[in-house]
Every structure is written in structure tokens, then in C-alpha cells.
Amino acid sequence: MTKNKFILNWIDEMAAMTKPDKIVWIDGSDAQRDALREEACSTGEMIKLNQELLPGCYLHRTAVNDVARVEGRTFICTRTKEDAGNINNWIDPKECYDRLGKLFTGSMKGRTMYVIPYSMGIVGSDFAKYGIELTDSIYVVLNMLIMTRVGNEVLDAIGDSADFIKGLHSKAQLDEQNRYIVHFPEDNTIWSVNSGYGGNVLLGKKCFALRIASFLGRKEHWMAEHMLILGVEYPNGETKYVSAAFPSACGKTNLAMLIPPEVYRKKGYKVWTVGDDIAWLRIGKDGRLWAMNPENGFFGVAPGTNDKSNPNALATTKEGAIFTNVCHNLENNTVWWEGLDKNPPVNALNWRGEKWDYTKYDKADKVGTSGAHPNSRFTAKATNCPCLSKEFNNPAGVPISAIIFGGRRARTAPLVYQSTSWQNGTFVGSIMASETTAAASGAVGVVRRDPMAMRPFVGYNMGDYWQHWLDMGKIIPNAPKIFHVNWFRTDDEGNFIWPGFGDNLRVVDWILARCEDKVDADLTPIGYVPKAEDLNIEGLDISLDTIKGLLSVDRDAWLADVENIKEFYTLVGDRVPAVLKEELAALEARLKA
Ligand code: GTP
Ligand code: SPV
Ligand code: MN
């Protein structure tokens, strides 16, 4: 425990409001974790899976109306509306504390309040930041124990300081109408009520490590980004690192854990995972940009994960994992999801916990007919990952050679292109777009602008965020080069043209070669595009002409996009940096030339 008055007074205040029957401090011990697992199983909150096949693994189902982040109910409550900006939802902070205070009043009656002291980053390191989450959910506690570094050493590291993020979560009644995920960046405070789903309630993740941290990063001259971090080890033993921002469910975990294609493996290439979702980036003493992963585990998309697409991710889930909203295979008390293998279990419960008939599966109604929810997830320890980088626990992180943006675009974006400068790269990030996925509630497959994959995660005004990117570019002496990729171009039948997954290394290889001026490129209106013959397609069943098609820039499609970008910039409002508007005008002129 702690004698820290700021912590103790705050907990007293929150307990006076929520009125739990008791308060339990989470110490990070295995014994306490095991007792909580047992308790959760005794109430049905968790299901203990086959301990021979999946030791330490459990299944949890959230409420049927509570299966994804809810962006429409997520708020940034800065004092002025302008500071939150037009892209974020905003409520006046005073009004918001009042409104949510009513929902929290008595919400923990008959329940236990768990106090979770956690660290984002290595406890005690210069780059770590600390939080305390109060919650009435054992599921949250058990997930936080995997996703973050939890326990007494965090309280020791906070000492008597007031510098920690205050997170309050209550499931309350899981009332969809009164669900709120609210951030008060000026108060280092997060309040979440009436949800029990991942990104809404594991407050260290999107709420702290992106929304609050992006706000802090702007003040303190660093960056919090929705990025994976991976290392490519070359046959000569040298390792180079890239970070990549793709929107939710667009391939970060898969790229971060990729297995090199055979031609690369044979030569001795290896890929190492540093992070799969969040990167905190700072300027190192050497003038380069360094990235560290503040998390301690993976909260990954289950569907589509299999021993071909992502064997490393699958391996991480074999011990100590929590599965959320997947299919329960009653034949052997294990789990299943669409895309795991071609043998759906005959005797099984779907993600809702109902008897499931796999023969009724209908692609047009995935949510209604699938065994696992399209946004079902696994929570797994980073240390379970077979390709975890030996730098994972290095508090300084790793030096970044390239930043890669990407999204799901059936047509417009080529397989890869390179920006012409940091400023132009910031522009490329600002105009990112992607088809929506099941990771957030709402329609799936609709193209929307998602700048830097941060649309749902910037804790302040998007225009100011872009300015922060531009400002960082001026103070990083040796900045990474900025690229854009798209693994998701489709043919006329809607099939993906690029094989993706492990073969994405071929593109990363070109990117890293560009960073060292080892390979030429063609300058197009949107930036540098590879010469088709420079992409290594050895061992791929794909023609040079297909590659040329993947790399082509369709001027008409881009000009249509420019109109959409103009509308988006207007929506972001008057804080869009002037140089980005100039970049947009210059792009349009080049496309029309
Ligand atoms: P979040 O955890 O929501 O932030 O998602 P993520 O960006 O980590 O996405 P993830 O790697 O889990 O991939 C999401 C979905 O995209 C899965 O169904 C994958 O199978 C699919 N996917 C990932 N990489 C590729 C690829 O290179 N090509 C294709 N076609 N699909 C991919
Ligand atoms: C995402 O949606 O980008 C995720 C999952 O990584 S969640 O933790 O729910 O945000
Ligand atoms: Mn994510």
C-alpha cells in the first residue's frame, strides 16, 4: 500500500461516490491473481478453459450490446470546446463531472472496488508514466495484469507525488444509453461507465496511452501514436526498426509479428516484435526518434488469426490468455474463431453463449451468424511471443528508421509510396483514409478519413495535433522517413491482390533500402513509388504487371479523394496548419498537371 495523500484522498472520494462494499488493492502477485480467477469463475464472469490444452486460459463474454469501442460516446472534456476540436465529442468538464457523478453514485454497491496501480512503460524508467484504475470488474483487473505492469512497485515509483493518471471505471448497469468514456486531459482524469469491453474499460490502453498521453506529449515534446514497432534483423546481424500506424483491425498485430517469406528466411532475415498497438516516441540523445511500447501484452483481434497468417500471435495465446467473445468449443472446452482453421466445432456456443450451428454461417450477417464476434479478442502476455524483441524491456526503446502509415483502400492508395519530406509525410498522415472495421461500433466497410490512424484517439484538437507533428519535425535532428502502404487493394471480384501478411516484409525491405538511399524510385504526383522490378517478388506467384498495377496512381481517383480531403480539412476547422493546406493545393496541382 501507500501513504500517498493524493492517492488515498482521491480513492476516499471515489469510494464515497460509488459506495463499494469493500476495497481491494491489487498487488501484482500470482496468488492474488489466481484467487480472482477462481472468484470470477465461481460467478460465471469467466469460464475456465481446458487447462491441459490451454493452461491459465479463460473465456469471457461481454454484454451483447457491448462488444467494441463506442466512438460516439467517447468524449474529450477540455475546458474549451475548441481545444477538443470538431473531430472529438465534447462536454463542458463541470457539466460532465455532474452528469457522470450521478451515474457513478452508488454504482459499486454490493460490489468490490479494485485499486489497480499500473505503469505504462518500464517501472522506474524515465519514460514510464503511472496510473491508478479503480474498477468494479474482475475482468478488467485480470486484463490489466496482462496488458500493463501492475503492483506495489508502481506505488513505490509514484512515491508521494501527485503525478499519476486517475482512472475510474464502473460497469454500473451496462446501460448502453448511459455509456460514457470520458477524458479530462487537463485533470489527468479518465471516467468510464456502463461498459465492460476492452478499449472502453482497460483505461491504460487507448484512454491513457493515446488520448491522455497525446495531450501530454504535445506539452512535453514527444508523441503518443497508434503504432506497432518492429525490428528487421538482416543476415549481417544488424537490426533496423520501423513503426507503423494503421487504423483498428487493419493489420498492426499481424505486421508486428510477421514471419519472413521463405526466400528471406533462407537468407537469414528475422523479424522482432517490440509492440503491436501503441508507441511512445521521443528524441534520443543521438538526434534520432526512439520508440517504446508502453504496454506489456497484446489485445489482439482473434478472427483471422491462424498458424499460417500469424503463428506468433497464436503462440502467445496458448498460456495465461483471456479470450473475449470468441466461440466456445464444447467438444474439448477450448476456443474457436472464424479463420482459425477449416473445422468449426459441431458442439459449440457462439460469442453470445447460445448453441451455435456453423452450417448457418452467412457472410452477409457475420455478427448474427458467426461463432466468434468479428471484434472478438485475445489478451496475451508479451513475454509469450516467440519473436519478442530483446529490446522489449529496454526503457529507451529502439531507434526508428521509418514511419509507415497505412489503411484499407480497395482502390486509391498504391501498395507503397514515400513522402518527399517530414512536412509532406505529415500531410500524407493527415489525409489517411480507411474502410471502417468491427473494432468500433457502427457500419463496417465505409471509407472514412482517419489521420495517422488516430481519429478516435487524439486527446485534443486534430489541427493542433498536426501542428505538433510539424513542430516535432523541426526539432528531430535526424528524423525517420515517412511512407504509406496499402495491403488491401482488391480486384474486380473483390479479392485482395497483394498476398499480405509475411510477404509484407518485401515492402518493408524496400522501405528500409530507401532509408539508406540503396534503391531508386519514381517520383509521382503523390510521392516516390518503387520501380516494380525493385520489389523482391522471388517465390511469389504474382506477375510484374500485377505489381505495376498495385503501384499505379489513378489520377481521377486521387482527384476525387482531394475533394473529400478538402471537406475533411473544413471539418477539422481553423486550426489546420496553413502548410498542410498548401500541401493539399500542391498535390491537386500536380495531379492536374
Ligand atoms: P487493433 O488491435 O484493432 O488495433 O488491430 P490491428 O491493426 O492490430 O489489426 P490486426 O493485425 O489484428 O488485423 C486485423 C485483420 O486484418 C485480421 O483479420 C487480419 O487477418 C487482417 N490482416 C492483417 N494483415 C493483413 C494483410 O496483410 N492482408 C490482408 N488481406 N489482411 C490482413
Ligand atoms: C483498437 O480498436 O484499435 C484496439 C482494440 O486496439 S481496443 O483496445 O478496444 O481499442
Ligand atoms: Mn488498436
Side-chain angles (χ1 to χ4, degrees):
M1 284 250 301
T2 178
K3 293 199 177 75
N4 183 316
K5 283 274 172 294
F6 301 105
I7 297 178
L8 296 175
N9 291 344
W10 168 65
I11 294 177
D12 280 350
E13 215 183 300
M14 296 302 107
M17 177 167 68
T18 55
K19 302 190 176 61
D21 281 9
K22 58 176 181 171
I23 298 179
V24 170
W25 290 69
I26 301 302
D27 59 18
S29 70
D30 287 355
Q32 190 186 42
R33 181 201 61 196
D34 293 347
L36 286 169
R37 284 171 167 179
E38 288 307 317
E39 191 182 335
C41 289
S42 74
T43 62
E45 186 176 350
M46 307 264 269
I47 295 162
K48 193 183 221 164
L49 294 166
N50 184 327
Q51 296 297 297
E52 253 159 58
L53 298 173
L54 295 169
C57 293
Y58 295 79
L59 168 64
H60 173 78
R61 295 188 198 105
T62 63
V64 171
N65 68 14
D66 190 23
V67 293
R69 284 182 295 98
V70 279
E71 296 178 5
R73 308 213 53 94
T74 301
F75 295 82
I76 302 294
C77 297
T78 42
R79 252 159 251 142
T80 71
K81 185 175 184 340
E82 291 66 41
D83 283 343
N86 296 336
I87 299 300
N88 284 311
N89 301 307
W90 177 85
I91 309 174
D92 174 76
K94 264 210 195 96
E95 188 193 324
C96 192
Y97 281 123
D98 273 2
R99 196 189 298 182
L100 268 65
K102 293 198 181 89
L103 302 174
F104 275 115
T105 297
S107 70
M108 296 191 190
K109 262 188 203 157
R111 300 179 185 170
T112 301
M113 173 191 272
Y114 299 98
V115 179
I116 315 170
Y118 66 94
S119 174
M120 302 313 293
I122 312 290
V123 183
S125 73
D126 290 348
F127 293 167
K129 291 204 177 270
Y130 308 118
I132 297 182
E133 176 164 356
L134 310 179
T135 178
D136 55 7
S137 159
I138 296 183
Y139 171 75
V140 167
V141 173
L142 294 173
N143 274 277
M144 288 292 284
L145 283 167
I146 298 172
M147 293 305 297
T148 70
R149 296 163 173 93
V150 172
N152 291 332
E153 80 260 30
V154 176
L155 292 174
D156 295 342
I158 298 174
D160 55 12
S161 147
D163 189 11
F164 62 95
I165 305 300
K166 298 182 284 246
L168 175 65
H169 164 251
S170 174
K171 292 180 285 187
Q173 292 74 44
L174 296 176
D175 171 8
E176 213 178 351
Q177 306 303 320
N178 279 306
R179 187 168 292 155
Y180 284 94
I181 322 299
V182 171
H183 309 72
F184 305 93
E186 289 141 346
D187 301 342
N188 284 339
T189 296
I190 305 160
W191 279 12
S192 164
V193 67
N194 278 313
S195 174
Y197 166 76
N200 298 332
V201 298
L202 309 178
L203 300 186
K205 197 173 179 58
K206 296 312 197 323
C207 298
F208 176 172
L210 288 180
R211 298 196 189 96
I212 298 284
S214 63
F215 181 91
L216 296 174
R218 179 176 174 229
K219 279 201 298 197
E220 299 166 1
H221 310 295
W222 56 279
M223 305 162 88
E225 299 295 337
H226 193 196
M227 290 177 177
L228 67 93
I229 310 164
L230 75 80
V232 178
E233 184 180 327
Y234 286 82
N236 68 5
E238 208 185 339
T239 303
K240 297 199 185 315
Y241 297 90
V242 304
S243 61
F246 309 154
S248 301
C250 289
K252 288 182 300 300
T253 302
N254 277 274
L255 188 67
M257 297 182 188
L258 76 80
I259 306 246
E262 203 188 331
V263 283
Y264 279 85
R265 267 200 320 272
K266 271 198 196 140
K267 286 185 199 148
Y269 280 76
K270 289 182 186 134
V271 166
W272 301 106
T273 309
V274 182
D276 82 324
D277 198 52
I278 297 176
W280 284 1
L281 303 131
R282 303 174 206 248
I283 304 171
K285 291 196 183 76
D286 60 356
R288 299 183 68 189
L289 194 61
W290 287 63
M292 72 90 145
N293 171 12
E295 301 192 281
N296 202 27
F298 309 115
F299 186 62
V301 178
T305 307
N306 62 53
D307 57 10
K308 299 233 160 46
S309 66
N310 196 344
N312 287 321
L314 200 59
T316 64
T317 67
K318 294 298 180 196
E319 182 268 321
I322 300 172
F323 298 92
T324 303
N325 294 338
V326 298
C327 173
H328 191 185
N329 180 349
L330 297 176
E331 285 157 36
N332 57 4
N333 191 24
T334 59
V335 290
W336 191 85
W337 48 78
E338 279 66 23
L340 174 64
D341 55 40
K342 295 208 165 80
N343 310 305
V346 174
N347 182 14
L349 301 179
N350 67 14
W351 63 273
R352 293 184 174 91
E354 306 154 342
K355 192 91 191 71
W356 180 58
D357 180 354
Y358 73 88
T359 61
K360 304 252 161 71
Y361 177 73
D362 174 6
K363 229 181 160 178
D365 177 21
K366 282 192 190 162
V367 172
T369 63
S370 62
H373 187 276
N375 190 41
S376 56
R377 300 253 166 185
F378 57 80
T379 318
K381 290 183 277 192
T383 47
N384 278 6
C385 179
C387 56
L388 191 69
S389 165
K390 64 181 188 334
E391 303 298 331
F392 176 73
N393 279 316
N394 182 342
V398 294
I400 296 298
S401 298
I403 289 175
I404 306 172
F405 294 125
R408 277 177 194 266
R409 294 304 294 275
R411 300 250 177 267
T412 319
L415 180 62
V416 56
Y417 68 100
Q418 181 186 1
S419 67
T420 53
S421 65
W422 180 277
Q423 176 180 305
N424 178 250
T426 302
F427 170 70
V428 168
S430 81
I431 67 168
M432 262 171 74
S434 195
E435 291 152 23
T436 50
T437 66
S441 62
V444 167
V446 182
V447 174
R448 74 158 182 177
R449 307 236 80 91
D450 188 352
M452 285 82 172
M454 284 286 280
R455 182 179 183 136
F457 307 121
V458 178
Y460 56 103
N461 187 305
M462 183 63 77
D464 292 340
Y465 167 74
W466 291 341
Q467 186 60 52
H468 178 51
W469 264 82
L470 295 166
D471 293 343
M472 287 297 295
K474 290 181 197 130
I475 60 171
I476 311 169
N478 191 358
K481 302 274 189 285
I482 301 177
F483 297 80
H484 187 284
V485 299
N486 176 23
W487 316 136
F488 299 94
R489 265 210 194 185
T490 51
D491 61 21
D492 293 336
E493 278 83 54
N495 303 308
F496 295 120
I497 304 171
W498 177 247
F501 301 98
D503 288 309
N504 292 333
L505 181 62
R506 300 168 188 272
V507 174
V508 175
D509 190 25
W510 181 83
I511 285 173
L512 286 169
R514 282 296 291 171
C515 291
E516 302 197 348
D517 288 327
K518 283 184 177 158
V519 61
D520 222 2
D522 291 327
L523 186 58
T524 74
I526 62 167
Y528 295 106
V529 170
K531 292 178 184 299
E533 55 280 8
D534 285 337
L535 275 186
N536 182 348
I537 53 169
E538 195 188 330
L540 271 189
D541 185 19
I542 197 167
S543 73
L544 204 59
D545 273 345
T546 307
I547 296 292
K548 280 183 184 150
L550 281 168
L551 293 171
S552 64
V553 178
D554 177 339
R555 282 175 192 252
D556 290 334
W558 272 89
L559 280 168
D561 223 32
V562 163
E563 292 311 311
N564 186 273
I565 297 164
K566 284 181 191 165
E567 278 168 35
F568 182 62
Y569 273 17
T570 305
L571 174 68
V572 172
D574 42 12
R575 295 202 194 170
V576 175
V579 293
L580 294 189
K581 290 185 194 158
E582 288 160 22
E583 286 279 350
L584 180 56
L587 171 65
E588 185 174 12
R590 289 193 302 270
L591 287 165
K592 283 182 172 159

